[in-house]
Amino acid sequence: MTDKKDFFKKSTAISIILILFSLPMFSQSYNIDYYGIVSTEIDANMSKMTSDLYYTQLSEINNFSISDKRTSPSLAERPDADSFSSSSLSFFTLINKDTNSDKWITTYFVVDKARNEEHSKKKIYDSFYKILMEPKDVLKNTIKQLIENDISATTITASAQEQTSSANSAITSTEELSGTWSGEENINKIVIMRGGRGFVIFNNGASMNITVELSDSGNSKTVLVKQKGNSNASFYPDLKRTAALTAAVSAAPIKWTLNLTDSNTLKGIKDTLLPDGDNYKEGSVNVIWTRLN
């Protein structure tokens, strides 16, 4: 009798285990605000088609609750992070044409405002048609990677530091510069992130990655901001387009040498390319950046 009871218990336990393994694994649900695409290089019809495609694909992914936050088929610049909700993830896509080829560059962004993080992944396509024809599972896997932080994250905002009477000498880390800055005529915003990284968003929609370092200069510290990655013709909006396309092939990285005059103001020079008739030349211009947040 005891053997039968033991056998029954073991059989029951095995049955329960098999049932548990046969059940679908629990998947966390996500609320995602969809802000559409950012691009200045495709027409209105193509913009709407692409934006609607991403929205449809996102809406069909299990465990995703999608809220449509689009205000137009295509944005000329990144959506304002101040409008993002802390209770949802925010998703948008930047689409640019490679200035040196016929390829298209798509960068997917997921912003987690609650954690103060931005996650992104860049993909290159041989043609715009291939963007439209990509299977929805590819978008699903990309978003999953971004949400689960499989791709490196960057902190996108930070509160302004308290002002000090001796701003330059008080700087001990680039984290003290974290935040959103503005000031240049052709630049919409500059975002400095923790860890000495950041990005510049131009009024024409182009996005440039930057590095931020501190350098000792006498009794104060100089802020060195430098372009990271290859040049793009859109980084030189003051040049004629043909000159900018030529320059982007071999141009030295754009560099800013700045001093913090107070906790919310950076002043200095920008080493870049300047117009020279129909051509271009290396030169410097004075700049002032003001912290927005």
mmCIF file of all heavy atoms in Angstrom, residues 230-250:
data_model
loop_
_atom_site.group_PDB
_atom_site.id
_atom_site.type_symbol
_atom_site.label_atom_id
_atom_site.label_comp_id
_atom_site.label_asym_id
_atom_site.label_seq_id
_atom_site.Cartn_x
_atom_site.Cartn_y
_atom_site.Cartn_z
ATOM 1 N N ASN A 230 31.779 59.554 -37.920
ATOM 2 C CA ASN A 230 32.026 60.151 -39.229
ATOM 3 C C ASN A 230 31.289 61.470 -39.413
ATOM 4 O O ASN A 230 30.244 61.706 -38.793
ATOM 5 C CB ASN A 230 31.602 59.182 -40.337
ATOM 6 C CG ASN A 230 32.425 57.906 -40.323
ATOM 7 O OD1 ASN A 230 33.580 57.913 -39.903
ATOM 8 N ND2 ASN A 230 31.835 56.808 -40.754
ATOM 9 N N SER A 231 31.844 62.300 -40.264
ATOM 10 C CA SER A 231 31.202 63.582 -40.565
ATOM 11 C C SER A 231 30.014 63.375 -41.496
ATOM 12 O O SER A 231 29.912 62.373 -42.198
ATOM 13 C CB SER A 231 32.206 64.544 -41.211
ATOM 14 O OG SER A 231 33.217 64.904 -40.298
ATOM 15 N N ASN A 232 29.114 64.350 -41.469
ATOM 16 C CA ASN A 232 27.916 64.336 -42.296
ATOM 17 C C ASN A 232 27.762 65.728 -42.888
ATOM 18 O O ASN A 232 27.996 66.725 -42.196
ATOM 19 C CB ASN A 232 26.707 63.969 -41.418
ATOM 20 C CG ASN A 232 25.431 63.806 -42.205
ATOM 21 O OD1 ASN A 232 25.063 64.640 -43.021
ATOM 22 N ND2 ASN A 232 24.724 62.719 -41.920
ATOM 23 N N ALA A 233 27.377 65.818 -44.136
ATOM 24 C CA ALA A 233 27.224 67.120 -44.784
ATOM 25 C C ALA A 233 26.259 68.022 -44.015
ATOM 26 O O ALA A 233 26.404 69.244 -44.016
ATOM 27 C CB ALA A 233 26.744 66.932 -46.223
ATOM 28 N N SER A 234 25.307 67.410 -43.333
ATOM 29 C CA SER A 234 24.321 68.187 -42.584
ATOM 30 C C SER A 234 24.914 68.851 -41.350
ATOM 31 O O SER A 234 24.262 69.688 -40.717
ATOM 32 C CB SER A 234 23.154 67.286 -42.172
ATOM 33 O OG SER A 234 22.483 66.782 -43.311
ATOM 34 N N PHE A 235 26.148 68.485 -40.985
ATOM 35 C CA PHE A 235 26.811 69.125 -39.854
ATOM 36 C C PHE A 235 27.327 70.518 -40.213
ATOM 37 O O PHE A 235 27.779 71.248 -39.332
ATOM 38 C CB PHE A 235 27.997 68.282 -39.364
ATOM 39 C CG PHE A 235 27.630 66.925 -38.812
ATOM 40 C CD1 PHE A 235 28.627 66.002 -38.519
ATOM 41 C CD2 PHE A 235 26.309 66.569 -38.589
ATOM 42 C CE1 PHE A 235 28.313 64.750 -38.006
ATOM 43 C CE2 PHE A 235 25.977 65.325 -38.086
ATOM 44 C CZ PHE A 235 26.978 64.413 -37.789
ATOM 45 N N TYR A 236 27.264 70.864 -41.509
ATOM 46 C CA TYR A 236 27.789 72.154 -41.981
ATOM 47 C C TYR A 236 26.690 72.920 -42.713
ATOM 48 O O TYR A 236 26.767 73.167 -43.926
ATOM 49 C CB TYR A 236 28.985 71.924 -42.902
ATOM 50 C CG TYR A 236 29.989 70.952 -42.339
ATOM 51 C CD1 TYR A 236 30.072 69.646 -42.827
ATOM 52 C CD2 TYR A 236 30.844 71.312 -41.306
ATOM 53 C CE1 TYR A 236 30.984 68.742 -42.296
ATOM 54 C CE2 TYR A 236 31.751 70.411 -40.764
ATOM 55 C CZ TYR A 236 31.808 69.129 -41.266
ATOM 56 O OH TYR A 236 32.700 68.230 -40.738
ATOM 57 N N PRO A 237 25.631 73.323 -42.009
ATOM 58 C CA PRO A 237 24.497 73.988 -42.663
ATOM 59 C C PRO A 237 24.847 75.342 -43.269
ATOM 60 O O PRO A 237 24.102 75.838 -44.119
ATOM 61 C CB PRO A 237 23.474 74.130 -41.521
ATOM 62 C CG PRO A 237 24.288 74.069 -40.270
ATOM 63 C CD PRO A 237 25.419 73.149 -40.567
ATOM 64 N N ASP A 238 25.961 75.950 -42.859
ATOM 65 C CA ASP A 238 26.352 77.251 -43.425
ATOM 66 C C ASP A 238 27.012 77.104 -44.797
ATOM 67 O O ASP A 238 27.127 78.092 -45.528
ATOM 68 C CB ASP A 238 27.318 77.977 -42.477
ATOM 69 C CG ASP A 238 26.630 78.466 -41.212
ATOM 70 O OD1 ASP A 238 25.424 78.756 -41.278
ATOM 71 O OD2 ASP A 238 27.295 78.551 -40.166
ATOM 72 N N LEU A 239 27.445 75.908 -45.124
ATOM 73 C CA LEU A 239 28.111 75.689 -46.416
ATOM 74 C C LEU A 239 27.090 75.401 -47.511
ATOM 75 O O LEU A 239 25.993 74.916 -47.244
ATOM 76 C CB LEU A 239 29.080 74.503 -46.326
ATOM 77 C CG LEU A 239 30.193 74.544 -45.275
ATOM 78 C CD1 LEU A 239 31.095 73.325 -45.433
ATOM 79 C CD2 LEU A 239 30.996 75.830 -45.363
ATOM 80 N N LYS A 240 27.482 75.697 -48.754
ATOM 81 C CA LYS A 240 26.666 75.254 -49.874
ATOM 82 C C LYS A 240 26.644 73.728 -49.876
ATOM 83 O O LYS A 240 27.617 73.086 -49.471
ATOM 84 C CB LYS A 240 27.245 75.786 -51.192
ATOM 85 C CG LYS A 240 27.090 77.299 -51.353
ATOM 86 C CD LYS A 240 27.545 77.742 -52.711
ATOM 87 C CE LYS A 240 27.330 79.239 -52.909
ATOM 88 N NZ LYS A 240 25.899 79.606 -52.875
ATOM 89 N N ARG A 241 25.560 73.158 -50.332
ATOM 90 C CA ARG A 241 25.385 71.713 -50.219
ATOM 91 C C ARG A 241 26.499 70.939 -50.910
ATOM 92 O O ARG A 241 27.008 69.946 -50.376
ATOM 93 C CB ARG A 241 24.032 71.316 -50.817
ATOM 94 C CG ARG A 241 23.674 69.835 -50.649
ATOM 95 C CD ARG A 241 23.547 69.463 -49.195
ATOM 96 N NE ARG A 241 23.158 68.064 -49.037
ATOM 97 C CZ ARG A 241 23.085 67.432 -47.878
ATOM 98 N NH1 ARG A 241 23.374 68.079 -46.754
ATOM 99 N NH2 ARG A 241 22.717 66.170 -47.814
ATOM 100 N N THR A 242 26.913 71.380 -52.099
ATOM 101 C CA THR A 242 27.974 70.666 -52.810
ATOM 102 C C THR A 242 29.282 70.715 -52.036
ATOM 103 O O THR A 242 30.022 69.732 -51.971
ATOM 104 C CB THR A 242 28.174 71.263 -54.209
ATOM 105 O OG1 THR A 242 28.366 72.691 -54.102
ATOM 106 C CG2 THR A 242 26.963 70.987 -55.094
ATOM 107 N N ALA A 243 29.556 71.872 -51.421
ATOM 108 C CA ALA A 243 30.782 72.007 -50.627
ATOM 109 C C ALA A 243 30.700 71.136 -49.375
ATOM 110 O O ALA A 243 31.682 70.498 -48.980
ATOM 111 C CB ALA A 243 30.996 73.469 -50.245
ATOM 112 N N ALA A 244 29.520 71.095 -48.760
ATOM 113 C CA ALA A 244 29.353 70.290 -47.552
ATOM 114 C C ALA A 244 29.528 68.807 -47.849
ATOM 115 O O ALA A 244 30.135 68.073 -47.064
ATOM 116 C CB ALA A 244 27.979 70.552 -46.953
ATOM 117 N N LEU A 245 29.009 68.359 -48.982
ATOM 118 C CA LEU A 245 29.145 66.944 -49.360
ATOM 119 C C LEU A 245 30.606 66.584 -49.588
ATOM 120 O O LEU A 245 31.072 65.507 -49.189
ATOM 121 C CB LEU A 245 28.330 66.659 -50.621
ATOM 122 C CG LEU A 245 26.806 66.660 -50.449
ATOM 123 C CD1 LEU A 245 26.115 66.637 -51.803
ATOM 124 C CD2 LEU A 245 26.367 65.467 -49.608
ATOM 125 N N THR A 246 31.342 67.503 -50.215
ATOM 126 C CA THR A 246 32.769 67.266 -50.445
ATOM 127 C C THR A 246 33.536 67.266 -49.131
ATOM 128 O O THR A 246 34.384 66.408 -48.877
ATOM 129 C CB THR A 246 33.342 68.350 -51.380
ATOM 130 O OG1 THR A 246 32.638 68.331 -52.620
ATOM 131 C CG2 THR A 246 34.825 68.110 -51.636
ATOM 132 N N ALA A 247 33.218 68.228 -48.276
ATOM 133 C CA ALA A 247 33.936 68.382 -47.007
ATOM 134 C C ALA A 247 33.735 67.183 -46.083
ATOM 135 O O ALA A 247 34.665 66.767 -45.384
ATOM 136 C CB ALA A 247 33.481 69.658 -46.304
ATOM 137 N N ALA A 248 32.530 66.634 -46.096
ATOM 138 C CA ALA A 248 32.199 65.561 -45.150
ATOM 139 C C ALA A 248 33.050 64.313 -45.354
ATOM 140 O O ALA A 248 33.190 63.503 -44.436
ATOM 141 C CB ALA A 248 30.714 65.207 -45.271
ATOM 142 N N VAL A 249 33.630 64.173 -46.517
ATOM 143 C CA VAL A 249 34.422 62.970 -46.812
ATOM 144 C C VAL A 249 35.678 62.902 -45.948
ATOM 145 O O VAL A 249 36.070 61.832 -45.470
ATOM 146 C CB VAL A 249 34.808 62.931 -48.311
ATOM 147 C CG1 VAL A 249 35.708 61.733 -48.597
ATOM 148 C CG2 VAL A 249 33.558 62.870 -49.175
ATOM 149 N N SER A 250 36.316 64.044 -45.730
ATOM 150 C CA SER A 250 37.606 64.030 -45.031
ATOM 151 C C SER A 250 37.730 65.085 -43.938
ATOM 152 O O SER A 250 38.824 65.321 -43.434
ATOM 153 C CB SER A 250 38.739 64.227 -46.050
ATOM 154 O OG SER A 250 38.572 65.456 -46.753
#
